[in-house]
Amino acid sequence: MKLASRLDLIKPSATLLITAKANALKAAGRDIIGFGAGEPDFDTPMTARQAAIKAIETGFTKYTPVGGIDELKDAIIDKFKRDNGLSYKRSEIAVSCGAKHTLYNLAQVLFEEGDEVLIPSPYWVSYPDLVLLAGARPVIVETREEEGFKLKPDRLDRAVTGRTKALILNSPSNPSGVAYSKEELSALGEVAARRDLIVITDDVYEKIIYDGLEFANILNACGELKDKTLVVNAVSKAYAMTGWRIGYLGGPEEIVAAVVKLQSQSTSNPTSIAQKAAAAALNGDQAVVVEMAKEFQRRRDFIVEALNGIPGVSCLLPQGAFYVFPRVSNLYGRSFQGKIIGNSAALAVYLLEETGVAVVPGGEFGHDEHIRLSYATSMKNIEEGIRRIRAGVERLA
């Protein structure tokens, strides 16, 4: 049977593949420590769980409006106003089955053959594939480690062509943990406005930010971009609700209507029960979010120091999210039992098979000199995982 040729344009999610392989090894009896998936190891807040139970018990288990129930839209509107100083109407909000689904919908309604979409690297693994599935061309704009992996305005300006339609920004970033300041976003926004770019800002890690840094997205810096900016967020990371699959979008009414139209022919509405839980999470006591971020900062401090203590490894200090992106290219060329470690993929295979530690190759994020580790796991696992990595590095000849 011949499958659709569009599938040849993309590859499976590397993070999910690594997690699946680690889980398969665990099922076979191996002791595996997973630094692969970006999934908080905390429970969903009690208010959200109770709202879901109540929804089930009261029969709120039917179809809902495609773009989300009013209760959830209002909670999202309040959140945007409270946390981001942004004002939206219900017609400017769409709820989907996770932030990835939101981004997929946006790519489908905005991009087509001939369009170019700018993506700073290192990038979340799915951005280029979502653009490719829409028939457009992802254009990777390189950033430099010595500049903190931040996109610079002049580099953005040089990347724009007559075919460029949009820029995707992610701050704090997966995989680097980089977070842009309001001033940095202002400079990027000036280029975006002058070049008439659509901006998609992926803010899913906004609540996981460290060292007193104040979160800002590009609309906080350049309000004049509102008619060209799509703000994407979700309850997944901030509220440990990855499996509930609720993402959302704030943006121009015309684009939101197009997203809802597309979604009506794909998933229809997000799960009714999950919508009730998401509304409760957004409206509820936010202390649990603050406490989670404090714990992630504690883990960040430990893992960065520990990685920098391994000969041949160096690691920048992330400003947000729950990932580290250490440089490991100094280990390339070394070998184990005659097998050369030549790139990030080979190192990831070696660490998984020989030390029982799952990491994601940096090549999947556009920077093969690095690997990504998620510290959204217990301190016990982090300590043991780093010990194994150090021992594995020491065994390389």
Side-chain angles (χ1 to χ4, degrees):
M1 179 184 293
K2 185 180 184 304
L3 299 177
S5 58
R6 72 176 67 90
L7 288 174
D8 296 332
L9 299 172
I10 64 171
K11 55 186 181 298
S13 167
T15 53
L16 297 181
L17 276 178
I18 289 290
T19 301
K21 186 169 184 178
N23 288 338
L25 289 172
K26 285 182 181 179
R30 287 285 305 276
D31 177 21
I32 303 295
I33 292 178
F35 290 129
E39 183 170 51
D41 59 319
F42 298 88
D43 288 332
T44 298
M46 181 61 72
T47 52
R49 286 182 275 161
Q50 289 174 337
I53 292 168
K54 182 179 178 181
I56 294 170
E57 291 178 339
T58 58
F60 193 78
T61 55
K62 311 298 183 184
Y63 292 131
T64 76
V66 171
I69 59 175
D70 285 346
E71 178 185 349
L72 178 52
K73 285 188 175 185
D74 289 344
I76 292 166
I77 289 168
D78 289 345
K79 178 258 177 262
F80 275 135
K81 187 69 174 177
R82 177 184 70 237
D83 296 347
N84 310 113
L86 302 176
S87 296
Y88 291 102
K89 301 176 296 185
R90 286 179 181 172
S91 58
E92 296 172 317
I93 301 293
V95 184
S96 301
C97 304
K100 183 184 286 189
H101 186 211
T102 302
L103 291 162
Y104 173 84
N105 286 341
L106 283 173
Q108 291 295 311
V109 304
L110 290 173
F111 309 142
E112 57 192 353
E113 188 173 349
D115 290 337
E116 294 178 349
V117 180
L118 304 181
I119 304 172
S121 72
Y123 46 78
W124 179 48
V125 293
S126 292
Y127 291 145
D129 294 85
L130 293 175
V131 172
L132 287 167
L133 280 172
R137 176 174 172 253
V139 176
I140 308 305
V141 186
E142 297 293 333
T143 69
R144 298 171 182 166
E145 184 177 12
E146 58 269 26
E147 295 175 341
F149 289 125
K150 291 186 177 181
L151 178 63
K152 299 300 180 181
D154 59 337
R155 203 164 293 136
L156 171 61
D157 198 37
R158 289 196 300 270
V160 177
T161 72
R163 293 180 177 273
T164 306
K165 190 164 188 182
L167 165 68
I168 299 177
L169 277 179
N170 177 212
S171 172
S173 160
N174 174 6
S176 68
V178 164
Y180 288 87
S181 69
K182 191 173 181 179
E183 292 72 26
E184 290 166 333
L185 290 169
S186 179
L188 293 175
E190 187 278 325
V191 177
R194 177 164 46 82
R195 292 293 206 156
D196 196 30
L197 301 181
I198 295 169
V199 179
I200 298 173
T201 175
D202 182 350
D203 296 355
V204 294
Y205 297 101
E206 70 162 311
K207 296 292 187 180
I208 306 167
I209 202 160
Y210 310 126
D211 304 320
L213 186 67
E214 185 175 346
F215 172 79
N217 71 26
I218 201 162
L219 284 184
N220 301 132
C222 299
E224 66 270 24
L225 287 174
K226 190 174 182 186
D227 289 343
K228 301 278 286 187
T229 298
L230 294 313
V231 182
V232 176
N233 213 318
V235 297
S236 303
K237 312 297 184 179
Y239 301 97
M241 294 178 68
T242 49
W244 296 81
R245 308 315 302 138
I246 295 291
Y248 55 90
L249 158 70
E253 189 170 335
E254 178 185 14
I255 297 174
V256 169
V259 163
V260 174
K261 179 181 178 181
L262 174 71
Q263 189 165 295
S264 74
Q265 295 293 359
S266 57
T267 60
S268 299
N269 62 274
T271 302
S272 58
I273 300 159
Q275 289 187 67
K276 285 285 190 176
L282 291 169
N283 288 331
D285 186 354
Q286 302 299 297
V288 63
V289 179
V290 175
E291 289 305 310
M292 190 160 42
K294 285 181 181 178
E295 174 58 20
F296 283 136
Q297 181 167 332
R298 186 174 77 93
R299 297 175 188 180
R300 177 207 63 168
D301 293 345
F302 175 86
I303 198 170
V304 169
E305 183 178 359
L307 285 167
N308 281 322
I310 299 174
V313 177
S314 62
C315 186
L316 293 179
L317 186 70
Q319 298 160 296
F322 37 63
Y323 309 103
V324 282
F325 199 55
R327 174 178 284 271
V328 292
S329 54
N330 287 332
L331 304 178
Y332 299 168
R334 301 186 192 182
S335 64
F336 178 76
Q337 295 182 346
K339 295 181 180 179
I340 302 294
I341 304 296
N343 54 31
S344 61
L347 180 61
V349 169
Y350 166 72
L351 290 175
L352 182 58
E353 294 181 350
E354 301 298 331
T355 75
V357 174
V359 303
V360 185
E364 302 293 339
F365 304 93
H367 280 249
D368 194 46
E369 305 86 2
H370 299 257
I371 57 175
R372 193 198 77 173
L373 292 77
S374 166
Y375 51 90
T377 186
S378 69
M379 185 63 82
K380 178 182 178 182
N381 282 344
I382 293 170
E383 291 172 349
E384 174 60 14
I386 296 298
R387 186 197 68 76
R388 294 184 189 185
I389 291 173
R390 174 186 283 276
V393 168
E394 290 173 350
R395 290 204 296 270
L396 294 174

